[in-house]
Amino acid sequence: MSLTGIRASAQSDSLVLSYDDYITNILLYHPVAQKAKLKPSYAEAALMKAKGSTDPTLDADWDKKNLNDKLYYEKFQSRLRFPTSTGVTIVGGYENTKGDYLNPENTTDEYGLWHLGIEINVLNGLLVNERNTAIRQAKEFQNLSLNEQNTLLNDLLYNAMYTYHTWQLYHSFMDVLSENITIAYDYYTNTRESYLQGEKTSMDTLEAHILYQEAISLFNKNEIYLIKSRQSVENYLWYNNEALTLQSNTLPEHYRELYRHQVVRYDSALIHNHPAIQASINKLSITEIEQRLKREKLKPKLKVKYNPLLTTSDNMAIHSFDIANYKIGVGFSMPLLLRSERAEVKMGKLKLQELQLDLNYKQNELLNKAEASWLQQSVLQQQIDINETNAINYKQLMDGEAEKFKYGESSVFMLNKRQEKYIGSRLKLAEAYIKYQLELLNYLYYSNQLISDESLTSLP
């Protein structure tokens, strides 16, 4: 599919793929951007799943036995449980039984028996348990998913922008090397004309022709890199799940149009908000929540159950409450050596230390890279100014040498040297502009200024 879904501006007989339209297309249609969009939805589903552990549950059992025309027993039991995020569970139920051979402890009157009570984990699991741990981890996972989304978009845009600037570089080289061919060809034709008039030697003509051929060779070499960089740009262009291809006359914006002096500020606090750092902090928090649960399991298990029983009296259907009617129970268990639990706590502690070391390393690495990138931008700006001046001066020297050559006061060798210096200065100037843009891109990436909130809201 050709590039028709992106706005491009006309420039003579060419089309310019603007930097902003390029980025907008990536955010809207690139598969990785679409993948990043799924992260929050996945986190919401994980939170819903975790909250499902506190959903009420209803279960019922019915058993009946008939033998030799006798009803041995008929039992119906139903229970409704309301788990909470703490170690408390509210339990209610109803029982109704009858039969000739019913276990006496299960006997109820014809209206049945209701009960409502609680189960409490007094020690292990009262405040910290699997249910609230899963919910807290799922909430932290929501923050992690947002940071992972930003990390995906950051990396995608960084690589895409780097590729666009590389395309700009080789395209700007093409303009310079085209001029180099034109100059070399003019020198060659003028030298050949002078040779035919007896003013230049055949050696001068041969040398000028070799220089012309070398100019074409340099242009062709750059053409190979230009084709590769153009194809790399196409890798980032998509529309409605289809890859796009650039039209043959599509060009990048000129590097001067994107150049800007330092308008972003250096603030070390920005680095701490980098999504890669925040994601590491989220992972550390999730592990800390899990570690609290592991420490909780060092406690013995003590569960207390209490259920008041609602009964009928005098065969009346109205149920009454009597404090003397209840079911109560206590359960206790504890491993004697706790080796498994202590090992889990120890491994969790080591994992926390490992995550903290990784976090410290990432923070320090980003701080150093951001600071170095900030300082390099000033040096590159100075380099741009120097190269601008050099290009102008080398152009004047080349024009002066060409004038001298016209009157026989110079040689092809000197003319070639002047041309070589001029073309080299033009190439260095273009490279300096692109290097600055790439260094600015590095800084924006390290300091978490590559993606704005407006860019995120543009996701479909």
Side-chain angles (χ1 to χ4, degrees), residues 61-88:
D61 294 314
W62 179 78
D63 291 312
K64 181 177 181 180
K65 181 179 179 181
N66 264 315
L67 183 64
N68 297 325
D69 295 329
K70 289 185 178 180
L71 176 63
Y72 273 57
Y73 60 81
E74 183 177 354
K75 298 183 293 184
F76 175 77
Q77 292 184 338
S78 62
R79 289 170 296 276
L80 183 62
R81 299 175 63 86
F82 290 89
T84 66
S85 58
T86 64
V88 178

Short mmCIF file of all heavy atoms in Angstrom, two decimals, residues 61-88:
data_model
loop_
_atom_site.label_atom_id
_atom_site.label_comp_id
_atom_site.label_asym_id
_atom_site.label_seq_id
_atom_site.Cartn_x
_atom_site.Cartn_y
_atom_site.Cartn_z
N ASP A 61 -26.27 -28.56 48.70
CA ASP A 61 -26.19 -30.02 48.57
C ASP A 61 -27.56 -30.62 48.94
O ASP A 61 -28.21 -30.17 49.91
CB ASP A 61 -25.13 -30.60 49.52
CG ASP A 61 -23.73 -30.15 49.16
OD1 ASP A 61 -23.40 -30.20 47.97
OD2 ASP A 61 -22.99 -29.73 50.06
N TRP A 62 -27.93 -31.62 48.18
CA TRP A 62 -29.19 -32.35 48.49
C TRP A 62 -28.92 -33.84 48.33
O TRP A 62 -28.45 -34.29 47.29
CB TRP A 62 -30.29 -31.90 47.55
CG TRP A 62 -31.60 -32.62 47.78
CD1 TRP A 62 -32.50 -32.39 48.78
CD2 TRP A 62 -32.12 -33.68 46.99
NE1 TRP A 62 -33.57 -33.23 48.68
CE2 TRP A 62 -33.37 -34.05 47.57
CE3 TRP A 62 -31.70 -34.37 45.87
CZ2 TRP A 62 -34.17 -35.07 47.06
CZ3 TRP A 62 -32.50 -35.37 45.36
CH2 TRP A 62 -33.72 -35.72 45.95
N ASP A 63 -29.20 -34.59 49.39
CA ASP A 63 -28.99 -36.05 49.39
C ASP A 63 -30.26 -36.72 49.91
O ASP A 63 -30.87 -36.26 50.89
CB ASP A 63 -27.81 -36.45 50.29
CG ASP A 63 -26.49 -35.99 49.71
OD1 ASP A 63 -26.25 -36.22 48.51
OD2 ASP A 63 -25.70 -35.39 50.46
N LYS A 64 -30.59 -37.86 49.28
CA LYS A 64 -31.77 -38.60 49.72
C LYS A 64 -31.51 -40.08 49.53
O LYS A 64 -30.93 -40.49 48.53
CB LYS A 64 -32.99 -38.16 48.89
CG LYS A 64 -34.28 -38.85 49.29
CD LYS A 64 -35.45 -38.32 48.47
CE LYS A 64 -36.75 -39.00 48.88
NZ LYS A 64 -37.92 -38.50 48.09
N LYS A 65 -31.99 -40.89 50.51
CA LYS A 65 -31.83 -42.34 50.42
C LYS A 65 -33.14 -43.03 50.77
O LYS A 65 -33.69 -42.82 51.86
CB LYS A 65 -30.73 -42.82 51.36
CG LYS A 65 -30.50 -44.32 51.29
CD LYS A 65 -29.38 -44.77 52.21
CE LYS A 65 -29.18 -46.28 52.16
NZ LYS A 65 -28.11 -46.73 53.07
N ASN A 66 -33.63 -43.83 49.86
CA ASN A 66 -34.83 -44.67 50.05
C ASN A 66 -34.44 -46.13 49.90
O ASN A 66 -33.75 -46.49 48.94
CB ASN A 66 -35.88 -44.33 49.00
CG ASN A 66 -36.90 -43.34 49.52
OD1 ASN A 66 -37.38 -43.47 50.63
ND2 ASN A 66 -37.22 -42.36 48.71
N LEU A 67 -34.89 -46.98 50.84
CA LEU A 67 -34.59 -48.41 50.76
C LEU A 67 -35.73 -49.18 51.40
O LEU A 67 -36.10 -48.92 52.56
CB LEU A 67 -33.26 -48.72 51.45
CG LEU A 67 -32.81 -50.19 51.38
CD1 LEU A 67 -32.52 -50.60 49.91
CD2 LEU A 67 -31.56 -50.41 52.25
N ASN A 68 -36.28 -50.14 50.64
CA ASN A 68 -37.37 -50.98 51.15
C ASN A 68 -38.54 -50.12 51.64
O ASN A 68 -39.07 -50.30 52.75
CB ASN A 68 -36.89 -51.90 52.27
CG ASN A 68 -35.85 -52.89 51.78
OD1 ASN A 68 -35.92 -53.35 50.63
ND2 ASN A 68 -34.89 -53.21 52.64
N ASP A 69 -38.91 -49.16 50.82
CA ASP A 69 -40.03 -48.26 51.11
C ASP A 69 -39.83 -47.44 52.37
O ASP A 69 -40.80 -46.99 53.01
CB ASP A 69 -41.34 -49.03 51.23
CG ASP A 69 -41.73 -49.68 49.91
OD1 ASP A 69 -41.38 -49.06 48.85
OD2 ASP A 69 -42.35 -50.74 49.92
N LYS A 70 -38.57 -47.28 52.75
CA LYS A 70 -38.27 -46.45 53.92
C LYS A 70 -37.39 -45.28 53.49
O LYS A 70 -36.46 -45.43 52.70
CB LYS A 70 -37.55 -47.26 55.00
CG LYS A 70 -38.43 -48.27 55.70
CD LYS A 70 -37.67 -48.94 56.83
CE LYS A 70 -38.57 -49.93 57.57
NZ LYS A 70 -37.85 -50.61 58.69
N LEU A 71 -37.73 -44.13 54.05
CA LEU A 71 -36.89 -42.96 53.82
C LEU A 71 -35.78 -42.96 54.86
O LEU A 71 -36.03 -42.63 56.03
CB LEU A 71 -37.72 -41.68 53.91
CG LEU A 71 -36.94 -40.37 53.78
CD1 LEU A 71 -36.29 -40.25 52.40
CD2 LEU A 71 -37.86 -39.17 54.06
N TYR A 72 -34.61 -43.39 54.43
CA TYR A 72 -33.49 -43.39 55.36
C TYR A 72 -33.13 -41.96 55.77
O TYR A 72 -33.01 -41.64 56.94
CB TYR A 72 -32.29 -44.08 54.73
CG TYR A 72 -32.29 -45.57 54.92
CD1 TYR A 72 -33.37 -46.36 54.50
CD2 TYR A 72 -31.23 -46.21 55.56
CE1 TYR A 72 -33.39 -47.73 54.68
CE2 TYR A 72 -31.21 -47.58 55.73
CZ TYR A 72 -32.30 -48.34 55.30
OH TYR A 72 -32.29 -49.70 55.48
N TYR A 73 -32.92 -41.13 54.77
CA TYR A 73 -32.64 -39.72 55.08
C TYR A 73 -32.85 -38.88 53.83
O TYR A 73 -32.80 -39.37 52.71
CB TYR A 73 -31.23 -39.51 55.60
CG TYR A 73 -30.13 -39.94 54.65
CD1 TYR A 73 -29.73 -39.12 53.59
CD2 TYR A 73 -29.48 -41.16 54.81
CE1 TYR A 73 -28.73 -39.51 52.72
CE2 TYR A 73 -28.49 -41.56 53.96
CZ TYR A 73 -28.10 -40.74 52.90
OH TYR A 73 -27.12 -41.13 52.04
N GLU A 74 -33.14 -37.64 54.09
CA GLU A 74 -33.19 -36.61 53.05
C GLU A 74 -32.57 -35.35 53.65
O GLU A 74 -33.08 -34.82 54.65
CB GLU A 74 -34.62 -36.35 52.59
CG GLU A 74 -34.68 -35.33 51.45
CD GLU A 74 -36.09 -35.13 50.94
OE1 GLU A 74 -37.00 -35.87 51.38
OE2 GLU A 74 -36.30 -34.24 50.10
N LYS A 75 -31.48 -34.90 53.06
CA LYS A 75 -30.73 -33.76 53.62
C LYS A 75 -30.57 -32.67 52.57
O LYS A 75 -30.21 -32.94 51.43
CB LYS A 75 -29.35 -34.21 54.09
CG LYS A 75 -29.39 -35.25 55.20
CD LYS A 75 -27.99 -35.61 55.68
CE LYS A 75 -27.20 -36.34 54.60
NZ LYS A 75 -25.87 -36.77 55.09
N PHE A 76 -30.85 -31.47 52.99
CA PHE A 76 -30.61 -30.29 52.14
C PHE A 76 -29.79 -29.28 52.93
O PHE A 76 -30.13 -28.94 54.07
CB PHE A 76 -31.94 -29.66 51.69
CG PHE A 76 -31.74 -28.39 50.92
CD1 PHE A 76 -31.33 -28.43 49.59
CD2 PHE A 76 -31.92 -27.16 51.53
CE1 PHE A 76 -31.14 -27.25 48.88
CE2 PHE A 76 -31.72 -25.99 50.83
CZ PHE A 76 -31.33 -26.03 49.50
N GLN A 77 -28.71 -28.84 52.34
CA GLN A 77 -27.85 -27.84 52.98
C GLN A 77 -27.47 -26.79 51.93
O GLN A 77 -27.13 -27.12 50.79
CB GLN A 77 -26.57 -28.47 53.53
CG GLN A 77 -26.79 -29.40 54.71
CD GLN A 77 -25.46 -29.91 55.26
OE1 GLN A 77 -24.46 -29.91 54.54
NE2 GLN A 77 -25.46 -30.33 56.50
N SER A 78 -27.53 -25.54 52.30
CA SER A 78 -27.09 -24.44 51.43
C SER A 78 -26.26 -23.47 52.26
O SER A 78 -26.52 -23.26 53.45
CB SER A 78 -28.28 -23.72 50.80
OG SER A 78 -29.08 -23.13 51.81
N ARG A 79 -25.23 -22.88 51.60
CA ARG A 79 -24.35 -21.94 52.30
C ARG A 79 -24.08 -20.74 51.40
O ARG A 79 -23.89 -20.88 50.18
CB ARG A 79 -23.02 -22.61 52.65
CG ARG A 79 -23.13 -23.65 53.76
CD ARG A 79 -21.85 -24.44 53.90
NE ARG A 79 -21.60 -25.22 52.67
CZ ARG A 79 -22.14 -26.40 52.44
NH1 ARG A 79 -22.96 -26.96 53.33
NH2 ARG A 79 -21.88 -27.05 51.32
N LEU A 80 -24.05 -19.59 52.01
CA LEU A 80 -23.70 -18.35 51.32
C LEU A 80 -22.52 -17.73 52.06
O LEU A 80 -22.62 -17.41 53.25
CB LEU A 80 -24.89 -17.39 51.29
CG LEU A 80 -24.68 -16.07 50.54
CD1 LEU A 80 -24.39 -16.34 49.06
CD2 LEU A 80 -25.90 -15.16 50.69
N ARG A 81 -21.39 -17.59 51.33
CA ARG A 81 -20.18 -17.08 51.95
C ARG A 81 -19.85 -15.71 51.36
O ARG A 81 -19.88 -15.51 50.14
CB ARG A 81 -19.01 -18.04 51.71
CG ARG A 81 -19.24 -19.42 52.30
CD ARG A 81 -18.10 -20.37 51.91
NE ARG A 81 -16.81 -19.93 52.45
CZ ARG A 81 -16.36 -20.24 53.66
NH1 ARG A 81 -17.10 -21.02 54.46
NH2 ARG A 81 -15.19 -19.80 54.07
N PHE A 82 -19.50 -14.77 52.25
CA PHE A 82 -19.08 -13.43 51.84
C PHE A 82 -17.63 -13.21 52.31
O PHE A 82 -17.39 -12.74 53.42
CB PHE A 82 -19.98 -12.36 52.47
CG PHE A 82 -21.37 -12.31 51.92
CD1 PHE A 82 -22.37 -13.10 52.47
CD2 PHE A 82 -21.68 -11.50 50.84
CE1 PHE A 82 -23.66 -13.07 51.97
CE2 PHE A 82 -22.97 -11.48 50.33
CZ PHE A 82 -23.97 -12.26 50.90
N PRO A 83 -16.67 -13.54 51.46
CA PRO A 83 -15.27 -13.29 51.87
C PRO A 83 -14.99 -11.78 51.88
O PRO A 83 -15.60 -11.01 51.12
CB PRO A 83 -14.45 -13.98 50.77
CG PRO A 83 -15.41 -14.84 50.01
CD PRO A 83 -16.75 -14.18 50.15
N THR A 84 -14.09 -11.37 52.71
CA THR A 84 -13.64 -9.97 52.73
C THR A 84 -12.15 -9.93 52.45
O THR A 84 -11.47 -10.96 52.41
CB THR A 84 -13.94 -9.32 54.09
OG1 THR A 84 -13.14 -9.95 55.11
CG2 THR A 84 -15.42 -9.46 54.46
N SER A 85 -11.63 -8.73 52.25
CA SER A 85 -10.20 -8.61 51.97
C SER A 85 -9.35 -8.86 53.21
O SER A 85 -8.14 -9.02 53.12
CB SER A 85 -9.89 -7.22 51.40
OG SER A 85 -10.29 -6.21 52.31
N THR A 86 -9.99 -8.87 54.37
CA THR A 86 -9.29 -9.26 55.60
C THR A 86 -9.50 -10.75 55.83
O THR A 86 -10.05 -11.45 54.99
CB THR A 86 -9.81 -8.44 56.80
OG1 THR A 86 -11.19 -8.77 57.02
CG2 THR A 86 -9.69 -6.95 56.53
N GLY A 87 -9.09 -11.22 57.00
CA GLY A 87 -9.23 -12.64 57.30
C GLY A 87 -10.58 -13.00 57.87
O GLY A 87 -10.71 -14.01 58.58
N VAL A 88 -11.59 -12.19 57.58
CA VAL A 88 -12.94 -12.42 58.10
C VAL A 88 -13.84 -12.84 56.94
O VAL A 88 -13.85 -12.20 55.89
CB VAL A 88 -13.51 -11.16 58.77
CG1 VAL A 88 -14.93 -11.41 59.25
CG2 VAL A 88 -12.62 -10.74 59.93
#
